[in-house]
Amino acid sequence: MTQNEPLVFEISTPGARAVDLPHSDVPVVEIDSNLASVAISELPEIGQLDLVRHYTHLSHRNFSVDDNFYPLGSCTMKYNPKVNEWAAALPGFANLHPLQDESDIQGALGLLYHLRVFLQEIAGLDEVSLQPCAGAHGEWTALKVIRAYFKDHHQSKRRIVLAPDTAHGTNPASCAMCGAGVVTIKSQSDGLTDLDDLQSHLNDEIAAVMVTNPNTVGKFDSHMIKMADMVHQAGAFLYLDGANMNAILGIARPGDFGVDVMHYNTHKTFSTPHGCGGPGAGPIAVRKELAPYLPVPQVIRIDGKAGERYAWDERRSKSIGKVRSFNGQFNVLVRAYTYIRACGPEGLRNVSECAILAANYIAQRIKDVYPLPYGPKDGQPMATNPCAHEFIAVPRAIIDRGVSIMDIAKNLIDRGFHPPTVHWPVHDCLMIEPTETESKATLDAFADSLLEIAALSQTNVPLLKEAPFKQPVRRLDEVGAARKPVLTWSARSGGVSEKVLA
Amino acid sequence: MTQNEPLVFEISTPGARAVDLPHSDVPVVEIDSNLASVAISELPEIGQLDLVRHYTHLSHRNFSVDDNFYPLGSCTMKYNPKVNEWAAALPGFANLHPLQDESDIQGALGLLYHLRVFLQEIAGLDEVSLQPCAGAHGEWTALKVIRAYFKDHHQSKRRIVLAPDTAHGTNPASCAMCGAGVVTIKSQSDGLTDLDDLQSHLNDEIAAVMVTNPNTVGKFDSHMIKMADMVHQAGAFLYLDGANMNAILGIARPGDFGVDVMHYNTHKTFSTPHGCGGPGAGPIAVRKELAPYLPVPQVIRIDGKAGERYAWDERRSKSIGKVRSFNGQFNVLVRAYTYIRACGPEGLRNVSECAILAANYIAQRIKDVYPLPYGPKDGQPMATNPCAHEFIAVPRAIIDRGVSIMDIAKNLIDRGFHPPTVHWPVHDCLMIEPTETESKATLDAFADSLLEIAALSQTNVPLLKEAPFKQPVRRLDEVGAARKPVLTWSARSGGVSEKVLA
Amino acid sequence: MDYVQFTSQQRDEMLKVVGASSMDDLLAPIPTDYRLTEPLKMPPALDEMSLRADLSALAAKNMSSDRKVCFLGGGVYDHFIPTVVDHLAMKGEFLTAYTPYQAEASQGSLQAFFEFQTMVCQLTGMEVSNASLYEGATALAEAVMMALGMSGKRRVLVSAGVHPHYRQVLKTYLSDLPAEYVELPLKEGVTDMLATEGEADADTAAIVVQSPNFLGLIERVDTLAKFAHANESLCIQSFNPVSLGLLKHPGEMDVDIATAEGQPLGIPMQFGGPFLGLFATKLKHVRKMPGRLVGQTVDIDSKRAFCLTLQTREQHIRREKATSNVCTNQGLLALRASVYLAAMGPKGLREVAQLCFNKATYLARQLRSTGLSLRFEHQPFFNELLVKLNRPVDQALQSASDAGLLGGLRVGSYYPELADCLLIAVTEKRTKVELDLLVKVLAAKS
Amino acid sequence: MDYVQFTSQQRDEMLKVVGASSMDDLLAPIPTDYRLTEPLKMPPALDEMSLRADLSALAAKNMSSDRKVCFLGGGVYDHFIPTVVDHLAMKGEFLTAYTPYQAEASQGSLQAFFEFQTMVCQLTGMEVSNASLYEGATALAEAVMMALGMSGKRRVLVSAGVHPHYRQVLKTYLSDLPAEYVELPLKEGVTDMLATEGEADADTAAIVVQSPNFLGLIERVDTLAKFAHANESLCIQSFNPVSLGLLKHPGEMDVDIATAEGQPLGIPMQFGGPFLGLFATKLKHVRKMPGRLVGQTVDIDSKRAFCLTLQTREQHIRREKATSNVCTNQGLLALRASVYLAAMGPKGLREVAQLCFNKATYLARQLRSTGLSLRFEHQPFFNELLVKLNRPVDQALQSASDAGLLGGLRVGSYYPELADCLLIAVTEKRTKVELDLLVKVLAAKS
Ligand SMILES: Cc1ncc(COP(=O)(O)O)c(C=O)c1O
Ligand SMILES: Cc1ncc(COP(=O)(O)O)c(C=O)c1O
């Protein structure tokens, strides 16, 4: 673990090969020299065993859910069932070309159609598009849909989106990508939306209000219903960032509490693996007014005399068009389908209930030492003011002793835990999302570690500030990394790229 | 790495489940209470995520070829190609019942038949049986075959097997399992068989002479040809322990140099993975005189008018019978077939040549400090008295400084290498078998580590005796383990079994 | 199976600890009126055995490329994926990690992405690559957004040879922005140079080309780059990464932003996704680049180490001023492409490209020998052929299907003037026997 | 691809270092006369793509249980294997390690085997288990060898209900030893108790029984154990591990050595191997036990640790005096069975066994309702039924095959008197629909 793993380029040996290819069974032809590359590729050359070892070593230097608890707030790092991977690897899914004739892809279309219907039901909304690639892409797509609606309804001047100060960074960024302006609305000290502030911003230039609920501080916003009324009154749409859907599956449906449009993150809520950063999928669900504008293609069911069949609907005259090539993140959606079928309706509700229970349980165990700005009054149990599936702690006293949030994070790594999300949505916070798939023993061990770190902050601050000790590297110079970025390796300078941007 | 992983029983939680099963789609019936168990099973109860983590953690605490260099002498720890695993997992192989009708298993039979023919060709012998489960089982099977031959030829008193003092432990043990006596013959100081000693033991009670060639000290025994003559003259068979076949593939054939019968270890020579101890497979090859006695079933090809087909031959009147249930270690044999097809005849020869080269290269790099009892004269290069695919070093000077062979082994572990075989076939030796699949850089790094350890033995013996430092545990009390064996975990005594054998 | 590990007894214990008498106490913040009292309307939970039966049945209804021989291309290709790629890229330790926010805990993926960025640069001859975008079309759209943002100009000239999906996506991206989408016509199957020269002006942010283009033909990208640079516009190329085993790479042609669909690099066709957006540019543009970047640095003990860097470009820091909204990317696919590229090496990739080219050339020759012809006989191609048929395309495709072939792609819906043509993709996996069979089927009169 | 990583330049360098002018110098110890000058006669090397095509073609020629519904048993059963078992047991870190000789480097597998030994004891009610033998038949043979060795007696009484393969293997093992193999006849499908009592004597080393026996019937093992103990002989039972989810386990019946084929515990049928020999006995016999054993101990820092132990029983130390010749065992399969048992837990295993029993019972009932009957109607069974057909077995099996079923096992070659019977195995995977189809096929007159 503590040895450095060389870069793949540093173990490259000219002439080494990991894979062999067949001889040509047709005549070899030379490509026109005007078209051919003159450059000699610098790609690494490496034998198969060394290749296996290199990536095996990297895999052992990588924290994962399979390895241990990963309570990264807002990311829903739940268990990724192995049967999902089995399903995605089925040749009938993995080896399917995206442009095959409909008669050849009935299984794939059927799966997508069923998933679409499940997601409609979970949202309590009328139509789902499975096209978007991730949450942010879903946001952007949904905003495009809203924009198209207003253009179609001769309200082109509705170009502004309101979003709370605690909104995830993708919300304003997605607005900007659509050319929409973003105006921030305030949150109250209890974490809920400030309705007066909201009201003061509502006018006939507002296209949508974007909220997260449960919000990013881990509270279910009970103003939601009122808010929806206000937004609708003002002629705008209420958008739900569905990143936190893991808190309400089968308990409440966004469509029922006034949401008009939302996105899902399958890689959060529906257990599709996060793959060191992706892929995910970001299906969006909309009310029927918005449905005509959804992107193409849409998967549909056609009930004919010979039974049902599934098809692509490409010809939606009001559609915003395509948002990506082909058919969406299909093999991510296969995993989401597999998961939803495994859980069933009762299972989905149990997922959310247990996610909430797990968060409240950890919160309860640590809150005296890691105070919760949005939690119950001092000395009161969590049930008096429960969090949703995640919560925020701001350990001011520990910080005042000179231990930073980052110090706490690094100490957790050495104790075998991935740190929570830090410094977001408020500075100096830990945002803890345990998910429902952890065992009670793991939750207890994590809480114990946090308490131990807190105790050490009273006796041995220097030790806490030195950690981590057991990782391959510790405390990186991230400022230097950004100031003089080294973004590629180059042979010509002994391993450090010449391509340094001063 | 350095944290302890609890036992699976210690993370068991009553009521937890990793897997669910379908409801019965037929009526549930209760089994007769006289037949039913009254005991409540103590098997662990654990959720799926915790199960994944437990075995992931164990996998990270386990040295493997995928992780790094594993020069365990006599074990041929070569790379296990991933395509072999792909082949073995094909549903057409993995989901085949062993007792299906021949018409349903032509692919499997065809594969076995081709493998049989390949192994016959590599051995230069007339018929191969793929039945034995491992090398030792192959030895036992082959000795049974020899025994059956002599019974059939009215020479039942041939019950003694001669084997050199450097023979692997399975050789005498296999003899004993057949009721055969074993007499040890001496090796010369140059590692070759002492022909005079052999001659003095040859008589009409000798059934076979069992040799390993290249032998276990890593030398090709050039007496082999003479020895074969002597053995045949005495009316006995020459048996080759094929553990070291990785040294002569496509270079020389046992049948050509007088061997009558031999076993292979597919897990050594043909890259089938060692799986933390097994499975392997131990096909045997024999000269045609011995073929009638081979175990059943035998795979055969039948050329008919409608083309060839493959079949089981179960009715061999002189056969020793069955040596295991069903059809041999089929899915190990699939991997061996895959490997041989990947290599082809030139590849197989290159395998052995490079295995020899790698061994001589390491030997050359370390021999001044780790002297080779069977190597070239002082100061002479390896080529003047080369080793085969492995070699033995006895670092007397280092040992005299108080550093044991085991100390060297433990220091290698911390440097990322699996130790060589130790103390076998002679005391205080390292038996180093690099195999052909390592890169030169790895061989150099290993040699460098050995030299570094040797250097440290002159400056810091205590440090060497403390190692390993980077492993989850270090320097176990193995004597205590054998004196008071704790072989199972028991809940009733807080983790330590009551079932201690005093 | 909902994968919850709490037993009901533990659930009760935990409720007690948090001071709740039942789960409802914890749901209190959700107004009761809006709480569901009935289960969601969807089929009941499946145990794992039944689940696998359900999925197997769905998969079996698809005529995947293991059941029919695939001559479909159009941006997604049936390349060979070495076993070792699957084995390594699917390791649970990679699969179940997320974005490496905490560098100490994630050196493995950070190093893999740093290597990925480097390999993309080695492949393309560009100076800097990000750590992945969603897929080919959105990567191209992001490149155009970057060009618009950097230049302050409005016009985007897009070759009609760019993948129709990509053009459609680009239009969606541009639709509400102060930008003008101008399509450059094709002449003899490739971008009309005269028309391009005419359209390019001082307000042109970028010229966008794909090579090999959607019709399989190799574009004169270097000339287009010159046109672009003459107007201080950027030249953006969408490329096929496998083609770079043979063809001039974007760097050699002075392309400013090179983007691609990375699917050919060891990623299964999987019905169109998840795929991999490649994005590389010149170093001077790095601070305008979308997507995550991994940089090399040192740790407190001066050891080499890797971390996410230049994050001030990104949405979680810059919010509406970010260079893009992308957050979750395609990390695992980037890792997979890295393993593929490292497994192939320069020689392997060259061999793959050469095999594709040999086989495409052979197919063209055999088709000609039966009297059929390529639609644009005098244009160079790489691995895709646009063939003019002498019978209705649907009929020919039906015959191909009957012979066990996915015979190729209709292009009529994208290019009505080419409704009588079939776009046929050939990879290193196609054998002479398969090629000959296709020729036989296509040459048949009915 | 021979997986050699040396380049030809490195090969030359290395030859130089060892003082060789060519490879031949290193082959010098092999007399030139015996060195091959021609390549071996076998087909040329295959690149990976061609290799996969070759293997795929071979696999496709097999009618595996994913293509036909499997009612075959006879010691190998088509049980459900949870996905997680495959995933974990195939991790490269387990697959490519060997016997854990160096404890510090192999705590992972050592702990896994210690857990395996414990789970086998929990399953069987025995006191000690080894870390695996080859498979069911050889495990049974080793048990008999142990009984002979321990007792110094000669006679081995073997029930004719023991799997015919196992009996054949046992005969092979005993053939050259001072031992007498005596077969105990069956009565109404189970071991004849009277005959057994008559055969058992002071020179009897062991009574060997299988339960459920080869005909699927449950034996009265406890009575046989009493007969054995009355003569100071050992009682050896070969069991089906899945049946212990429901049935009395060997420990409860005072069995002395319990052995089994571990295949039902998450191991694919894979045409008969590799499988897993289970071997458990009483603690007092541990030093006579064959096979590797892992023990718990402490390290120098008093941490709990695991190592191979009681190695003085083994061939590498004791040579011809060893308790067995086994060296390479079935480690990976032991690991796999452990993962399976841990995944199932006591309740899961019970459910599997109960489902098998429900379905077998249902099948029996349905068969009876069509007029067919079990050959031994009054004997208890677990998951296998011996059915008397009213038409030739081959004909019935052909009809089953035509209906997509592997209908069952012929037993006539093992038990000529049962040539009109079919042995049908039922696992939790068989659905009511499949059972009904089989009934329909078997009940049909032709
Ligand atoms: C609250 C919230 N919104 C939006 C997103 C963006 O989703 P994605 O990363 O799938 O693009 C995230 C992701 O972290 C999030 O936590
Ligand atoms: C020289 C030699 N002979 C025989 C054997 C026994 O082979 P197996 O372990 O396959 O039973 C070995 C295995 O280590 C060996 O090295």
Side-chain angles (χ1 to χ4, degrees), chain B residues 73-75 133-137 139 167-168 170-171 212 216 241-244 263-265 267-268 280-281 424, chain D residues 98 101 134 292 325-329:
Chain B
S74 204
C75 298
C133 301
H137 199 229
E139 295 169 13
H168 191 264
T170 53
N171 297 7
T212 310
T216 58
D241 178 331
N244 291 343
H263 76 258
Y264 287 99
N265 305 65
H267 42 303
K268 301 175 194 236
W424 187 76
Chain D
Y98 198 24
Y101 293 118
Y134 301 135
R292 299 200 192 281
N325 67 338
V326 67
C327 174
T328 294
N329 60 10

Side-chain angles (χ1 to χ4, degrees), chain A residues 10 29 34-35 37 45 63 96 100 104 121 151 251 275-276 322 324-325 337 350 410 475 477, chain C residues 5 11 36 41 54 63 65 95 97 102 104-105 135 172 176 248 252 271-272 297 304 347 354:
Chain A
E10 293 162 348
V29 279
N34 290 322
L35 303 172
S37 177
E45 301 177 64
F63 197 100
L96 208 56
Q100 288 184 230
D104 281 357
E121 167 69 9
K151 277 204 252 180
I251 298 173
C276 298
K322 286 190 80 71
R324 55 155 295 157
S325 59
Y337 169 91
N350 195 44
K410 303 307 177 195
R475 304 276 179 157
D477 180 6
Chain C
Q5 297 196 85
R11 219 176 124 120
L36 297 178
K41 281 183 206 64
D54 178 72
M63 267 297 156
S65 69
L95 195 70
Q102 295 283 349
E104 287 93 338
E135 41 77 76
T172 309
D176 296 306
K248 274 207 177 104
E252 281 174 281
F271 203 45
T297 185
R304 177 167 68 184
K347 299 198 182 71
Q354 182 69 51

Side-chain angles (χ1 to χ4, degrees), chain A residues 74 134-136 139 168 170 241 243 265 267-268, chain C residues 98 327-328:
Chain A
S74 204
E139 295 169 13
H168 190 264
T170 53
D241 178 332
N265 306 65
H267 43 303
K268 301 176 195 237
Chain C
Y98 199 23
C327 175
T328 293

Side-chain angles (χ1 to χ4, degrees), chain C residues 305-324:
Chain C
F306 303 94
C307 63
L308 294 176
T309 194
L310 297 183
Q311 297 190 65
T312 49
R313 298 165 303 110
E314 290 187 67
Q315 47 73 28
H316 60 289
I317 311 258
R318 293 277 281 193
R319 304 178 72 85
E320 65 271 24
K321 303 229 157 51
T323 56
S324 162

Side-chain angles (χ1 to χ4, degrees), chain C residues 52-272:
Chain C
R52 285 174 52 161
D54 178 72
L55 270 301
S56 294
L58 286 169
K61 283 188 195 140
N62 299 321
M63 267 297 156
S64 44
S65 69
D66 40 293
R67 298 168 74 184
K68 285 195 175 172
V69 177
C70 182
F71 287 101
L72 291 165
V76 178
Y77 302 94
D78 183 28
H79 286 291
F80 175 63
I81 303 174
T83 314
V84 71
V85 174
D86 266 316
H87 177 81
L88 294 173
M90 294 310 280
K91 280 189 75 105
E93 294 90 340
F94 292 132
L95 195 70
T96 69
Y98 199 23
T99 311
Y101 293 117
Q102 295 283 349
E104 287 93 338
S106 305
Q107 283 297 297
S109 65
L110 284 162
Q111 179 169 338
F113 295 146
F114 182 78
E115 293 175 355
F116 169 78
Q117 292 170 187
T118 303
M119 285 193 245
V120 171
C121 291
Q122 293 172 335
L123 183 70
T124 57
M126 304 296 289
E127 291 171 335
V128 60
S129 156
N130 70 13
S132 81
L133 292 172
Y134 300 136
E135 41 77 76
T138 49
L140 183 63
E142 289 272 12
V144 170
M145 302 285 275
M146 174 168 146
L148 289 167
M150 277 171 55
S151 67
K153 301 179 180 183
R154 292 174 44 97
R155 300 183 76 224
V156 185
L157 312 189
V158 183
S159 162
V162 170
H163 194 302
H165 284 181
Y166 291 29
R167 282 181 284 135
Q168 288 169 37
V169 170
L170 187 53
K171 281 186 211 162
T172 309
Y173 269 79
L174 297 183
S175 66
D176 296 306
L177 303 179
E180 186 190 343
Y181 173 98
V182 180
E183 200 155 286
L184 302 171
L186 300 183
K187 194 172 163 186
E188 277 297 296
V190 298
T191 313
D192 183 335
M193 289 294 157
L194 232 61
T196 306
E197 219 176 346
E199 285 287 0
D201 66 5
D203 195 30
T204 299
I207 298 179
V208 180
V209 63
Q210 173 179 327
S211 182
N213 72 17
F214 184 73
L215 304 176
L217 306 175
I218 300 172
E219 295 272 3
R220 284 165 50 204
V221 179
D222 38 4
T223 308
L224 293 168
K226 284 195 194 102
F227 291 165
H229 296 155
N231 288 292
E232 291 185 358
S233 322
L234 299 188
C235 176
I236 300 174
Q237 181 194 351
S238 178
F239 62 95
N240 170 346
V242 162
S243 75
L244 301 187
L246 270 187
L247 301 182
K248 274 207 177 104
H249 53 57
E252 281 174 281
M253 301 185 291
D254 205 17
V255 162
D256 299 286
I257 310 179
T259 66
E261 175 49 69
Q263 181 273 331
L265 302 177
I267 299 173
M269 300 193 291
Q270 39 195 5
F271 203 45

Side-chain angles (χ1 to χ4, degrees), chain A residues 31 68 134 151 161 218 254 259 332 348 432 453:
Chain A
I31 200 151
N68 216 339
K151 277 204 252 180
V161 175
V259 167
V332 173
L348 287 179
I432 298 175
I453 291 167

Side-chain angles (χ1 to χ4, degrees), chain D residues 5-19:
Chain D
Q5 298 197 85
F6 305 144
T7 62
S8 59
Q9 193 189 325
Q10 289 180 320
R11 217 176 125 121
D12 292 345
E13 269 175 55
M14 291 165 73
L15 281 170
K16 214 160 151 194
V17 169
V18 302

Side-chain angles (χ1 to χ4, degrees), chain D residues 39-76:
Chain D
L40 293 168
K41 282 181 204 64
M42 52 172 67
L46 291 179
D47 62 274
E48 187 176 328
M49 225 168 87
S50 311
L51 185 62
R52 285 174 52 161
D54 178 72
L55 269 302
S56 294
L58 286 170
K61 284 188 194 141
N62 299 322
M63 267 299 154
S64 44
S65 68
D66 40 293
R67 298 167 74 184
K68 285 196 174 171
V69 178
C70 182
F71 287 101
L72 290 165
V76 178

